[in-house]
Amino acid sequence: MVTFGVLGPLTAGSARLGGPKQRAVLARLLIARRRVVPVRVLVADLWEDPPDGALGTVQTFVGALRKALEPDRPPRTPSTLLVTEGAGYALRADDVDAWRFEEMLGGDLSVLDSALALWRGPAYAEFADEHWARAEIDRLEELRLVGVERRAEAALALGRSAGVVADLRAHLATQPWREKAWSLLALALYREGRQGEALEAVRAARHALVENLGVDPGVELRSLESDILAQSPRLSPAVETSLVGRSAELAALEAAVPGAGLGIALVTGEAGVGKTALAEAFSSVLASRGWTTVWARCPEDAPVAWPWQQVVEALGEKLVVSDRFGLRRAVVSVVESAAPVLIVLDDLHQADDETLAVLAAFTRDKLSGRVLIVATARAAVLSEALARAEPVRVELGGLEEESVAALVKSMVGGSPDVRVIYERSGGNPFYVKELARLYAAGGDLGAVPAGVRDVIRHRLSALPTDVRTVLHQASVLGRDVELDLLAALAGDVLDALDVALEAGFLVESAPGRARFTHALVRDTVYEDVSLTRRARWHAVVAAALESTRPDDVELLAHHYLLSGARGDQVVRALAAAAESSRSPRAAARLWQAAIEAAGGTRLDLLTGLVRALAVSGDLEAGRTRRSQALRVARGADETAAVIGSFDVPGIWTTNDDPAHSAELVAAAERTLEAFPDPTVTRARLLATIAMEQRGTGDRLAEAVEAEAIARDLDDPALLAFALNARFMHTFHRTGLAPERAVIGRELLAVASGLVTHEVLGHLILVQAHAALAEFSVADQHAAAADELARRHDLPLVSVFTEWYAALKLAASGEVASADRAYRAAASRVRGTGMWGMERGLLPLALLSLHGPSTVDLSDDWGPHLDWVRPLVLPVDEALVAARALPDGPADLLSEVRACLLAMAAVRLRDPGLRLRARSLLLPASGELAGAGTGLFTFGPVARYLDSVNG
């Protein structure tokens, strides 16, 4: 990739650029920012009075630039960097120092330093006198000045006022009318303790503005002058804190600061929730205001009143008292004499009685100085005096998801699944950080980080043995614990439950129900149970469910699955759960487990697995298992059951696996003879034949018959399948988007509760309305399809909606963004088993964006190569290739092939090809060419009709 430099003399990586005019062409294209610059504009910009042959000279400059910028490009292959678009040129640059500079302007101090370091001199230095460069030069210079001032602001926020003073004086020497810079200079001088110079800076600013420009200073500068004179606390630097998502809690502590006398705040929350971090951040805030801050912890097994001993010593005094009353009065006296003072008592839940008694002593008398005591505790602190003092109570819960995202972003690069981290951590900052570190180290977010595991195990070890056992048994039930089921494992659990609740491992969610405080806590406890014991406990729970709640098939299957049990009872439970599952991937796992529990291949289980695999996105495995099921089937009934059970919707008209389809069609046609009557079975066989022979246009009769049977039987599921089959045969000519829209709308009407066919209806309507350029309607259906996919775990849906999003970018002229989006969408297709979509679609999409100049015949064009070759082959060869083109399949790409034919006809100036392209495209004259695919568009069909009519 070539790195271009325009913030100073023009550079293009290591390329050796030519003379002034050639360099001007490059600069003019860079200023266009990837947009096309017509040749006539280039000529007008290069010469006031263009000479004869100016057009050819520009072409020569462009050719030389292409060689310089892409020295390794093979001969006669089109440039992908400096491309020809219509009657002009575009430079598809990705790395330009000016563009990077703009992106970095929102960064922190280090980023702003790097951004300003990109400047090697004035922007487009050698083109300062060119009219076409002036506006861009002025724009970039203004951004540079903004960058200097933002850097000064960032440095001030970090307390680096001395350096800011020097930088801003130099800045203002050449830019004396920058009011923002004067404000920053005055503030920096004030923070350096130079109040007089700060006021002088304000007066200098006023002089520059009033005397030279005739305008008064703005509100910001006038307010700053008043604040400097009043020595306002607002001018003190803000305290930097890494604390995330606790602004409300900090504000609550701020409210506890006393105007006089004593203030008390109590911060409570579970281990790791951030009590200490909150107290530390607040301590920094008060320290910045001149408060003395003292920290004391309440460790277990410490000497009597040990925290107060720490406090007194931190204040530079010693306790020399023998009785408790004297101790209490001495501590209060020492603290009072240090006012204003903040005392932080960390882990107060571990404090001894005397420590609490000293705390109570502060509440009995009115203090002469300002004292704030902030205590942190995991649980309630039993102190009547503390309760009577009515402390400000700050109860910390988990962070919100947005704050979790900010915390994770501050720690790691990449893009971890923040929702997973949020859900597994419950927003507990300690757990969030440990999961973020686990991700950064390449670990699985489904695992328990080592640091979390160690802390939880340490807490667990402090519990009595019987309580630990009950917690281990509870973990087998999952994060949510039903006490009736737990009793089946552990008997009477109420006493142990009370201890576990008090220790913070569980919380009560309702009578008879408890919940592990965090998924990570449950997972740690569960992992400490041996595999054999786990399996036995799961089996006990499954037996209890069989006798009390046999209809709870999902929970029953979960415990059978983890017990490793076999037998008919287990198979029934697993199959019932698979049938009722709303997640195809979960259903596939359950069907597979049922097959294993059955100890052999059963056709009903195998067909269930086939459908779940296909809907979950594992199409290749689904086809393999479907072929296996066909071989296992015996007789017409079983064969028909296998074929008819697979009613997975299809939206793409190119067959993914023709050999597999041929096998199915042959089996269906043999089996049809056994079902001559208009039954569900016959309709499913007919619809399957039509579905598997998609793109041929030869099986519409089968689809129509299947649809008629479904309507007569009033069977919505069967009708949805038959409509899908008919959809696959509505491509015998172009311009049929309205007809397909009718099918899509009926699918939505009949597919209520049939989620996969409801999604199909929305996707068909995305295609149809995109073809008609009705993007607002298509958007609604794309959003509806995505929402259904999200709710029902249908991963392949987003493959199509991501392509559609790229199509919209292309249709709106956002070429660079569309290019990136197409490449990303194409990468999603790979590995899905949708082989009919894998080959050739990305090159076609890029051709639709950039035109024939970017065509490389060595790319994988798949079945579309023959239609592309006439666009780039030498004219004689191209003409032969174009005239030999067949009609092509009856599929979603019919219009695309017709457009390619029209492009070739225009290039080759062949009347016969023009006539053929016109006849193909005329029925779609009001559509966007190719947009009916829902993937990409070649623009209005009318444009191609005009080109072949000319």
Side-chain angles (χ1 to χ4, degrees):
M1 183 171 63
V2 181
T3 298
F4 295 92
V6 301
L7 302 179
L10 181 65
T11 61
S14 59
R16 297 183 63 181
L17 301 176
K21 294 293 189 189
Q22 185 187 116
R23 297 168 67 85
V25 170
L26 179 59
R28 182 65 183 82
L29 293 174
L30 283 166
I31 286 174
R33 288 180 170 251
R34 297 174 61 94
R35 294 187 294 272
V36 174
V37 180
V39 176
R40 58 179 174 75
V41 174
L42 284 172
V43 169
D45 286 343
L46 289 175
W47 293 280
E48 288 186 15
D49 184 15
D52 293 339
L55 179 59
T57 303
V58 169
Q59 292 171 337
T60 301
F61 290 156
V62 168
L65 282 172
R66 282 172 171 162
K67 289 180 181 178
L69 298 176
E70 298 177 282
D72 299 325
R73 181 166 52 89
R76 294 184 299 281
T77 58
S79 172
T80 58
L81 182 57
L82 206 172
V83 301
T84 302
E85 285 277 352
Y89 301 103
L91 185 67
R92 306 296 186 198
D94 288 314
D95 189 356
V96 181
D97 58 359
W99 304 354
R100 277 186 284 129
F101 171 74
E102 291 182 58
E103 292 172 356
M104 297 164 76
L105 279 180
D108 58 17
L109 180 60
S110 62
V111 174
L112 288 165
D113 279 336
S114 299
L116 291 167
L118 293 173
W119 286 76
R120 298 168 287 110
Y124 292 97
E126 60 204 276
F127 308 103
D129 296 329
E130 301 292 346
H131 69 90
W132 48 266
R134 192 68 258 161
E136 180 66 0
I137 290 171
D138 291 344
R139 189 182 73 85
L140 289 172
E141 177 60 18
E142 173 61 25
L143 289 176
R144 185 188 70 80
L145 299 176
V146 170
V148 170
E149 290 160 10
R150 286 188 181 177
R151 186 208 171 277
E153 239 176 334
L156 272 175
L158 295 176
R160 302 179 186 179
S161 50
V164 169
V165 169
D167 291 343
L168 287 175
R169 286 201 189 281
H171 177 62
L172 285 163
T174 58
Q175 304 291 331
W177 303 292
R178 303 284 297 185
E179 187 171 349
K180 178 69 174 180
W182 282 113
S183 296
L184 291 169
L185 175 60
L187 180 59
L189 287 165
Y190 179 83
R191 288 184 179 174
E192 280 293 288
R194 298 153 67 177
Q195 183 176 352
E197 291 180 68
L199 290 170
E200 180 57 36
V202 174
R203 284 193 288 271
R206 179 178 288 109
H207 176 80
L209 295 168
V210 174
E211 297 299 325
N212 296 316
L213 298 181
V215 297
D216 291 323
V219 173
E220 181 181 358
L221 197 60
R222 296 198 306 272
S223 298
L224 178 61
E225 183 177 28
S226 300
D227 286 342
I228 291 172
L229 289 168
Q231 297 184 346
S232 171
R234 288 197 297 271
L235 300 183
S236 300
V239 176
E240 280 292 307
T241 174
S242 59
L243 201 63
V244 173
R246 297 300 192 196
S247 56
E249 290 82 355
L250 281 170
L253 289 180
E254 187 72 51
V257 178
L262 177 68
I264 301 179
L266 184 60
V267 181
T268 56
E270 65 177 350
V273 80
K275 301 181 296 296
T276 301
L278 178 67
E280 286 175 342
F282 186 64
S283 178
S284 297
V285 171
L286 288 193
S288 72
R289 299 178 192 166
W291 281 58
T292 299
T293 61
V294 179
W295 199 280
R297 287 180 170 81
C298 304
E300 294 180 276
D301 302 324
V304 172
W306 172 248
W308 294 112
Q309 181 75 35
Q310 293 175 277
V311 168
V312 170
E313 290 180 358
L315 293 174
E317 302 289 342
K318 288 189 177 181
L319 280 178
V320 186
V321 291
S322 57
D323 64 281
R324 292 183 175 181
F325 180 78
L327 169 71
R328 298 167 192 172
R329 294 308 307 158
V331 171
V332 172
S333 176
V334 170
V335 170
E336 193 173 18
S337 65
V341 62
L342 165 68
I343 307 297
V344 178
L345 298 176
D346 207 11
D347 294 330
L348 192 65
H349 57 280
Q350 297 178 161
D352 62 279
D353 290 342
E354 188 57 32
T355 296
L356 294 176
V358 175
L359 176 59
F362 279 90
T363 69
R364 295 194 182 104
D365 299 319
K366 186 175 181 180
L367 302 182
S368 60
R370 299 170 74 194
V371 175
L372 175 61
I373 299 174
V374 174
T376 74
R378 290 184 191 171
V381 178
L382 300 178
S383 169
E384 182 181 356
L386 182 61
R388 288 182 179 276
E390 298 182 353
V392 171
R393 296 182 182 272
V394 181
E395 186 171 351
L396 289 188
L399 297 172
E400 297 295 332
E401 186 172 355
E402 184 178 348
S403 298
V404 169
L407 180 56
V408 171
K409 184 180 179 181
S410 72
M411 295 181 61
V412 300
S415 302
D417 191 331
V418 171
R419 172 149 288 274
V420 170
I421 293 178
Y422 171 68
E423 289 177 349
R424 286 185 59 71
S425 68
N428 182 297
F430 171 66
Y431 295 162
V432 170
K433 292 175 183 177
E434 290 296 307
L435 284 168
R437 293 187 184 104
L438 179 67
Y439 169 82
D444 177 9
L445 288 177
V448 180
V452 174
R453 187 184 301 111
D454 291 344
V455 169
I456 293 172
R457 283 175 174 167
H458 174 73
R459 291 176 55 209
L460 195 65
S461 67
L463 298 177
T465 302
D466 62 323
V467 177
R468 291 202 302 271
T469 299
V470 168
L471 281 171
H472 285 135
Q473 291 167 324
S475 71
V476 169
L477 300 177
R479 187 175 176 190
D480 292 294
V481 180
E482 295 182 50
L483 299 190
D484 288 345
L485 287 178
L486 182 58
L489 282 172
D492 186 2
V493 298
L494 294 182
D495 291 340
L497 176 68
D498 288 340
V499 176
L501 290 169
E502 186 177 356
F505 284 91
L506 299 172
V507 292
E508 282 191 293
S509 53
R513 292 179 177 272
R515 180 177 174 84
F516 279 93
T517 51
H518 295 284
L520 292 173
V521 172
R522 180 264 169 188
D523 290 354
T524 299
V525 176
Y526 184 70
E527 288 170 9
D528 283 346
V529 182
S530 69
L531 294 175
T532 301
R533 192 177 295 276
R534 275 190 223 169
R536 290 185 179 178
W537 283 349
H538 280 296
V540 171
V541 174
L545 285 168
E546 282 282 11
S547 61
T548 59
R549 286 153 51 190
D551 294 334
D552 194 344
V553 292
E554 185 176 347
L555 188 59
L556 188 57
H558 168 76
H559 288 288
Y560 271 136
L561 188 63
L562 294 173
S563 73
R566 291 174 173 268
D568 290 344
Q569 194 173 35
V570 177
V571 171
R572 280 197 302 274
L574 292 170
E579 287 281 8
S580 63
S581 176
R582 298 182 63 171
S583 166
R585 282 183 279 205
R589 290 193 295 272
L590 289 166
W591 284 118
Q592 183 61 50
I595 290 170
E596 293 169 4
T601 302
R602 271 180 36 182
L603 195 58
D604 59 331
L605 305 179
L606 194 54
T607 53
L609 175 61
V610 166
R611 190 178 194 284
L613 285 169
V615 176
S616 70
D618 196 348
L619 296 174
E620 185 175 358
R623 286 191 288 265
T624 300
R625 289 290 200 163
R626 195 178 184 191
S627 292
Q628 181 187 357
L630 274 178
R631 292 191 295 272
V632 170
R634 295 290 180 268
D637 287 332
E638 286 192 356
T639 301
V642 170
I643 296 171
S645 67
F646 191 84
D647 58 351
V648 179
I651 184 70
W652 192 244
T653 50
T654 303
N655 200 313
D656 291 326
D657 191 339
H660 176 67
S661 292
E663 176 188 18
L664 282 168
V665 170
E669 289 181 328
R670 288 194 307 271
T671 309
L672 263 177
E673 298 175 4
F675 300 95
D677 297 327
T679 60
V680 171
T681 300
R682 180 175 179 81
R684 287 198 175 277
L685 290 170
L686 290 165
T688 299
I689 291 171
M691 287 287 292
E692 296 298 331
Q693 294 274 286
R694 65 186 71 183
T696 63
D698 297 334
R699 296 291 190 167
L700 180 60
E702 283 84 350
V704 169
E705 184 182 348
E707 184 180 342
I709 293 172
R711 292 187 189 281
D712 287 343
L713 296 176
D714 196 19
D715 186 330
L718 185 61
L719 179 56
F721 188 36
L723 287 169
N724 192 178
R726 180 155 69 84
F727 164 78
M728 289 296 181
H729 294 272
T730 53
F731 301 92
H732 50 281
R733 64 169 174 82
T734 63
L736 291 174
E739 184 174 327
R740 293 192 289 274
V742 171
I743 294 175
R745 287 192 289 271
E746 185 170 8
L747 271 170
L748 292 184
V750 304
S752 177
L754 305 170
V755 175
T756 54
H757 280 92
E758 189 177 352
V759 169
L760 173 66
H762 285 300
L763 291 180
I764 289 174
L765 288 166
V766 168
Q767 293 177 340
H769 288 288
L772 299 170
E774 296 169 349
F775 287 114
S776 60
V777 181
D779 285 348
Q780 294 171 16
H781 290 290
D786 277 333
E787 176 59 20
L788 286 168
R790 185 192 64 78
R791 292 204 323 255
H792 298 279
D793 191 23
L794 304 172
L796 292 185
V797 174
S798 61
V799 171
F800 295 97
T801 54
E802 284 180 20
W803 273 97
Y804 169 68
L807 181 159
K808 277 198 65 186
L809 289 170
S812 63
E814 299 178 55
V815 176
S817 298
D819 187 299
R820 290 191 293 272
Y822 278 140
R823 294 178 192 276
S827 69
R828 282 288 315 279
V829 178
R830 288 193 289 273
T832 61
M834 292 190 290
W835 301 330
M837 284 187 67
E838 282 195 34
R839 300 189 61 206
L841 288 188
L842 177 59
L844 279 179
L846 298 180
L847 169 58
S848 75
L849 273 181
H850 305 305
S853 65
T854 62
V855 167
D856 184 344
L857 294 181
S858 65
D859 287 342
D860 183 6
W861 292 91
H864 318 302
L865 179 62
D866 287 346
W867 277 269
V868 177
R869 292 172 68 243
L871 302 181
V872 294
L873 288 176
V875 171
D876 291 345
E877 294 179 44
L879 195 56
V880 172
R883 289 173 176 172
L885 286 173
D887 290 337
D891 62 12
L892 277 162
L893 291 165
S894 297
E895 283 178 16
V896 172
R897 287 189 294 271
C899 288
L900 295 176
L901 183 63
M903 293 163 70
V906 171
R907 178 195 178 214
L908 302 173
R909 301 179 181 178
D910 184 89
L913 294 176
R914 286 175 182 264
L915 184 61
R916 182 180 172 190
R918 182 180 183 280
S919 65
L920 290 171
L921 289 172
L922 192 58
S925 59
E927 296 185 10
L928 283 181
T933 62
L935 309 183
F936 49 79
T937 177
F938 278 74
V941 170
R943 188 172 72 200
Y944 294 89
L945 287 171
D946 289 344
S947 70
V948 295
N949 286 334

